Amino acid sequence: MMNGLLLKRIAVGLGMFAAMAAGGCADGGDGASSAGGPNGDGGATPGASFDGCSKGELEPDREGGLELAGPGVDAGTGALKPGSYLVSTTYLAMKPEMAQKMTELSGPVMESLFTMKGFVAVAATSSSSCAAVRTLTVWESEQDMYAFVGSPAHASAMGHASSISRGTSNVISWEGSEQEATWEEAAKRLGSEAGGDI
């Protein structure tokens, strides 16, 4: 059983799943869904304080549950167990004043995530300098991931997406091994997302 502190650290970022609905959690078949400015910068205007922020670059001040946690993580090594998975990442450029609301929404989403069939692991992180939140989840299958997306807690939280996002929300998923379930791989895939933000 995960301790409360780890759940709290991860929960800070998991509200982001709800915000991803701004771009639509369904990916239209290409594995990508997004909304916001052309560079993944939240649609910030030139000169805004978030100009240096991008979905394709990991923020240097990231904090939170950076390491994967869940039933698919080896307790002895802290590593994701070898296998083939569906990996999903989300990125949200958040309205800074909505941080408390995101935290409130993430609690029920987190609780449901850990009960979902096919859930393997999760990590979540946030950046105060970019007012950005990222998640990385690992699933046994695409069907399992979409069951979570449609779950009551997640669907309820999605109703708040437009009030939390400052314009950019992205979700992208891919099939890969445990070696491809990393923050670096997630940022690379978000950064090369065809068409950028919508």
Side-chain angles (χ1 to χ4, degrees), residues 23 33-37 167 170 195-198:
S33 219
S34 56
N170 306 88
D197 294 338
I198 298 171

Side-chain angles (χ1 to χ4, degrees), residues 14-165:
L14 275 191
M16 184 176 169
F17 271 111
M20 292 305 94
C25 286
D27 65 26
D30 66 357
S33 219
S34 56
N39 300 314
D41 60 4
T45 57
S49 61
F50 304 115
D51 281 350
C53 302
S54 170
K55 65 185 178 181
E57 294 181 31
L58 295 173
E59 302 82 9
D61 68 332
R62 291 178 301 135
E63 9 178 270
L66 296 172
E67 302 300 319
L68 287 168
V73 176
D74 184 289
T77 66
L80 187 61
K81 295 174 185 171
S84 294
Y85 300 106
L86 181 79
V87 184
S88 181
T89 190
T90 56
Y91 173 84
L92 171 73
M94 179 178 60
K95 294 176 184 173
E97 67 274 14
M98 297 305 292
Q100 179 60 39
K101 183 66 173 177
M102 170 133 21
T103 301
E104 292 168 11
L105 292 169
S106 68
V109 173
M110 170 60 78
E111 288 175 19
S112 73
L113 177 66
F114 277 84
T115 66
M116 297 301 296
K117 176 188 174 300
F119 166 70
V120 176
V122 63
T125 185
S126 63
S127 162
S128 58
S129 67
C130 290
V133 182
R134 296 174 183 268
T135 63
L136 183 64
T137 55
V138 183
W139 299 91
E140 289 179 6
S141 72
E142 185 175 45
Q143 180 180 357
D144 294 331
M145 180 189 71
Y146 281 120
F148 168 70
V149 169
S151 68
H154 187 268
S156 174
M158 287 190 312
H160 298 276
S162 63
S163 67
I164 293 172
S165 173

